[in-house]
């Protein structure tokens, strides 16, 4: 693959970086990244990955654009209300960078479809908003041997961690099982500040870019937490759990499972 | 490491003209051309006097490549000989 003059110009600011260079740019252009959830986290992640020239972006989301989404989900705009998120996202990304092939799936990721959804991708980004989906993605990526970045946001805090097969702990090493339904609030109940989705979603994009270009070090073996109110980042070491139910020596979870999600009737 | 190259006798393995572009495309094109070469091979670059002759050699050095020679073509352009370094990251 050789880069066209238009591509050299479009990506010049990153091709100049010696950690990226022409080789890194070619790696990005031939890479395939799947983003599960075209919402608060998925929006900035998708936009920066598209802008960087990731050749194929997969987007999976079964929802339609709702007015309450627009405070943080920057892939979508006011005229998109009521449209499938994947459709609106595809238009935004195609306008941003025609180099990028966008593959959309207007379905909710589930135990039934997750392994097929992630197959054929080099890197997965968790842009979901509930524990059920996060465990589903983790288990599927461990079973399907796919690297992925987990992220979560709530109110003014966020967290991030990257899993690479054979290179460190998985999300389940850190959190053994989903919390019982109704014990933990979702964004819907607890609220979230939009710029936080931007910060954490961009960090997810950064992890993908580093993985794909083989540069720098990833958040494998550590959890990054961000407290926006205090402007505090913390990087906490996460050990491998050798008896982890999915990535441990004798795994008991061999297929992805759907968990019941927290319901939205919790009062605060 | 690669063997020493005598700048006086060095023969380029490839030629590149970046007189038609400005910063940062000058450096981008030089990087791409070097990327296509093998370690130790030499690229000859024709570049404009002024900003390119000041910045391109410096940026290539920062990437680890070896600038062998910069000669004045006496037509407002220069000829830069640069030797590709081993993997620089």
């Amino acid at each position: 693959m050789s880069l066209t003059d238009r591509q050299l110009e479009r990506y010049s600011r990153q091709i100049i970086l010696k950690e990226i260079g022409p080789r890194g740019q070619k790696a990005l252009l031939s890479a395939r990244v799947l983003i599960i959830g075209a919402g608060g986290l998925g929006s900035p992640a998708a936009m920066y990955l598209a802008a960087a020239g990731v050749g194929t972006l997969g987007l999976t989301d079964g929802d339609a654009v709702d007015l309450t989404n627009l405070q943080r989900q920057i892939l979508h705009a006011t005229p998109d209300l009521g449209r499938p998120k994947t459709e609106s996202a595809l238009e935004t990304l195609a306008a941003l960078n025609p180099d990028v092939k966008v593959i959309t799936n207007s379905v909710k990721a589930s135990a039934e479809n997750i392994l097929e959804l992630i197959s054929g991708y080099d890197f997965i980004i968790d842009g979901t908003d509930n524990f059920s989906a996060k465990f589903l993605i983790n288990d599927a990526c461990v079973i399907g041997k796919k690297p992925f970045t987990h992220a979560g946001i709530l109110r003014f805090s966020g967290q991030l961690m990257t899993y690479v097969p054979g290179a460190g702990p998985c999300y389940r090493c850190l959190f053994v099982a989903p919390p019982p339904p109704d014990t933990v609030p979702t964004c819907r109940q607890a609220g979230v500040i939009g710029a936080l989705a931007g910060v954490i979603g961009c960090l997810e994009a950064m992890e993908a870019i580093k993985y794909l270009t083989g540069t720098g070090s990833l958040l494998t073996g550590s959890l990054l937490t961000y407290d926006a109110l205090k402007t505090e980042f913390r990087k906490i070491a996460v050990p491998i759990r050798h008896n982890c139910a999915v990535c441990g020596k004798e795994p008991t979870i061999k297929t992805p499972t759907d968990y019941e999600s927290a319901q939205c009737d919790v009062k605060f | 490491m690669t063997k020493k190259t005598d700048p006086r006798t060095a023969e380029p393995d490839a030629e590149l003209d970046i007189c038609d572009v400005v910063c940062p495309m000058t450096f981008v094109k030089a990087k791409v051309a070097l990327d296509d070469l093998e370690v130790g091979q030499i690229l000859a670059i024709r570049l404009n006097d002024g900003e390119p002759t000041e910045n391109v050699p410096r940026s290539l050095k920062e990437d680890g490549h070896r600038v062998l020679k910069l000669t004045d073509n006496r037509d407002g352009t220069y000829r830069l000989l640069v030797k590709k370094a081993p993997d620089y990251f």
Side-chain angles (χ1 to χ4, degrees):
Chain A
M1 178 209 283
S2 70
L3 300 162
T4 65
D5 277 0
R6 291 281 290 175
Q7 287 176 326
L8 290 179
E9 196 165 343
R10 177 184 284 266
Y11 308 116
S12 60
R13 293 300 193 276
Q14 62 198 44
I15 290 175
I16 282 172
L17 303 172
K18 72 169 189 286
E19 294 83 356
I20 305 283
R23 224 173 311 171
Q25 190 58 54
K26 287 177 194 170
L28 290 175
L29 284 164
S30 54
R32 300 169 58 90
V33 176
L34 175 69
I35 299 170
I36 304 179
L41 293 167
S43 285
M47 290 181 79
Y48 274 102
L49 291 177
V54 168
T56 305
L57 275 182
L59 277 176
T60 297
D61 199 310
D63 289 343
V65 181
D66 179 271
L67 189 55
T68 62
N69 297 156
L70 300 184
Q71 162 260 11
R72 65 194 179 286
Q73 303 186 9
I74 58 170
L75 273 172
H76 321 293
T78 310
D80 298 318
L81 289 174
R83 299 176 69 199
K85 283 187 182 175
T86 46
E87 203 180 291
S88 151
L90 186 138
E91 272 180 24
T92 305
L93 298 171
L96 175 58
N97 189 353
D99 277 352
V100 180
K101 182 181 170 200
V102 182
I103 299 171
T104 59
N105 253 308
S106 295
V107 293
K108 186 182 173 193
S110 69
E112 210 161 291
N113 64 20
I114 186 85
L115 287 175
E116 198 188 326
L117 284 173
I118 65 172
S119 72
Y121 285 96
D122 304 313
F123 196 88
I124 321 292
I125 286 183
D126 172 5
T128 65
D129 63 354
N130 63 82
F131 285 102
S132 164
K134 295 192 183 304
F135 278 87
L136 179 74
I137 292 168
N138 179 74
D139 294 353
C141 286
V142 172
I143 293 163
K145 296 188 169 58
K146 297 283 182 188
F148 82 103
T149 293
H150 147 83
I153 49 170
L154 199 68
R155 300 192 178 107
F156 285 91
S157 27
Q159 62 178 43
L160 192 78
M161 166 174 171
T162 298
Y163 167 79
V164 175
C170 77
Y171 179 64
R172 206 181 264 280
C173 291
L174 179 61
F175 301 108
V176 176
D182 295 356
T183 54
V184 178
T186 65
C187 286
R188 213 176 300 180
Q189 304 150 11
V192 65
I193 191 79
L196 174 68
V199 172
I200 304 296
C202 286
L203 286 169
E204 290 196 279
M206 199 71 237
E207 288 291 290
I209 287 169
K210 287 187 298 174
Y211 176 82
L212 298 168
T213 58
T215 200
S217 52
L218 297 164
L219 266 176
T220 45
S222 30
L223 178 79
L224 184 76
T225 66
Y226 172 54
D227 180 333
L229 287 177
K230 293 183 189 156
T231 321
E232 246 172 39
F233 280 99
R234 284 179 64 204
K235 198 169 158 185
I236 304 153
V238 177
I240 291 176
R241 192 188 289 268
H242 293 290
N243 60 351
C244 173
V246 66
C247 80
K249 283 176 185 149
E250 286 164 16
T252 52
I253 297 170
K254 287 164 183 165
T255 51
T257 317
D258 287 317
Y259 293 91
E260 196 187 339
S261 282
Q263 296 303 305
C264 292
D265 52 1
V266 180
K267 301 280 183 285
F268 283 87
Chain B
M1 289 305 290
T2 51
K3 61 182 189 298
K4 285 259 180 197
T5 305
D6 185 343
R8 288 163 302 184
T9 57
E11 283 294 323
D13 297 283
E15 302 266 349
L16 174 72
D17 190 333
I18 52 170
C19 289
D20 57 339
V21 288
V22 295
C23 178
M25 291 307 290
T26 43
F27 180 42
V28 169
K29 290 213 159 185
K31 275 183 84 107
V32 171
L34 278 164
D35 204 56
D36 292 338
L37 295 184
E38 301 294 323
V39 171
Q41 285 194 311
I42 293 164
L43 177 69
I45 306 171
R46 182 170 172 262
L47 67 177
N48 285 321
D49 190 8
E51 187 272 330
T53 50
E54 280 167 33
N55 290 331
V56 173
R58 190 184 56 207
S59 300
L60 291 172
K61 273 188 216 164
E62 280 171 11
D63 266 8
H65 302 295
R66 209 152 81 80
V67 170
L68 300 175
K69 197 161 68 167
L70 184 67
T71 45
D72 192 344
N73 292 330
R74 305 200 173 278
D75 61 355
T77 70
Y78 276 77
R79 180 176 167 86
L80 174 70
L81 283 186
V82 56
K83 185 174 169 182
K84 179 167 172 168
D87 259 356
Y88 43 90
F89 65 89

